[in-house]
């Protein structure tokens, strides 16, 4: 399987840096992900075939409603994950970043495992190193930041332990 993933990633990676991808992907990926989730009962994610992916379970910044978002992530050791609000190089920050700023306690699902996390915005001093780590996994990914004309929000998601029986950290 690693060979197949390498071939798929090598074939698709150049396309993800095109203007066409940035126009089509934000509209096409979410419904395709939802369909695959329903058909596979949550076992298959299109984005997961390309890069490590997770589902972020957050609370809406304005509505307070539960929100689920499929995101690429970069492992950061000890169960931590880094996520970048690139939004396919669009000029606006994605909604999920506002959600994490307002409600940093969230959860993620990775390969079917639910994990409570706390999100912290990565500060300016650590941005370059964080981008190096991300681009070690997906070369050229920071181009989305450059092309968007904004500083992309980077978050570190750290696992938290829930207090038994409370569902809270």
């Amino acid at each position: 399987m690693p060979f197949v993933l390498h071939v798929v990633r090598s074939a698709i990676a150049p396309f993800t840096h095109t203007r066409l991808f940035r126009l089509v992907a934000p509209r096409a990926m979410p419904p395709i992900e939802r369909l695959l989730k329903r058909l596979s009962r949550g076992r298959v994610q299109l984005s997961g075939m390309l890069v490590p992916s997770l589902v972020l379970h957050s609370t809406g910044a304005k509505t307070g409603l539960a929100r689920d978002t499929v995101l690429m992530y970069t492992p950061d050791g000890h169960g931590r994950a880094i996520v970048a609000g690139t939004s396919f190089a669009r000029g606006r920050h994605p909604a999920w970043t506002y959600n994490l700023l307002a409600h940093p306690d969230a959860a993620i699902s990775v390969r079917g495992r639910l994990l409570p996390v706390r999100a912290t915005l990565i500060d300016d001093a650590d941005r370059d190193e964080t981008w190096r780590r991300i681009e070690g996994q997906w070369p050229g990914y920071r181009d989305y930041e450059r092309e968007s004309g904004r500083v992309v929000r980077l978050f570190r998601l750290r696992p938290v332990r829930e207090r038994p029986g409370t569902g809270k950290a």
Side-chain angles (χ1 to χ4, degrees):
M1 188 69 156
F3 175 73
V4 172
L5 286 178
H6 175 72
V7 170
V8 170
R9 287 177 183 168
S10 297
I12 292 176
F15 177 60
T16 65
H17 298 289
T18 66
R19 193 170 303 237
L20 177 62
F21 180 81
R22 289 192 307 273
L23 289 172
V24 173
R27 291 175 184 83
M29 294 287 286
I32 292 170
E33 290 283 10
R34 284 191 296 273
L35 177 64
L36 277 175
K37 180 180 180 181
R38 190 171 54 241
L39 293 176
S40 70
R41 296 188 186 130
R43 291 187 303 264
V44 176
Q45 289 179 314
L46 176 62
S47 55
M49 298 167 99
L50 304 174
V51 292
S53 297
L54 56 78
V55 178
L56 173 67
H57 308 283
S58 61
T59 302
K62 292 181 181 179
T63 66
L65 298 175
R67 302 289 185 209
D68 292 345
T69 309
V70 177
L71 299 172
M72 175 187 127
Y73 79 96
T74 300
D76 194 29
H78 305 289
R80 295 179 306 231
I82 298 167
V83 290
T86 58
S87 193
F88 299 98
R90 291 186 282 190
R92 292 179 156 180
H93 295 289
W96 64 264
T97 66
Y98 293 99
N99 297 347
L100 289 182
L101 290 171
H103 305 284
D105 290 322
I108 58 174
S109 295
V110 181
R111 293 184 292 279
R113 182 172 167 228
L114 185 66
L115 184 67
V117 296
R118 181 160 297 122
T120 55
L121 190 62
I122 294 173
D123 61 24
D124 290 343
D126 294 328
R127 287 181 62 74
D128 287 337
E129 179 55 37
T130 301
W131 274 116
R132 274 192 286 283
R133 181 179 290 273
I134 292 169
E135 287 195 306
Q137 171 181 291
W138 196 257
Y141 196 57
R142 194 172 191 178
D143 289 345
Y144 282 165
E145 180 177 61
R146 293 179 186 107
E147 293 169 21
S148 72
R150 63 181 168 83
V151 175
V152 164
R153 294 175 178 155
L154 302 174
F155 291 89
R156 184 168 284 111
L157 307 176
R158 289 187 169 94
V160 295
R161 296 178 191 221
E162 291 184 354
R163 293 190 303 253
T166 66
K168 296 184 178 181

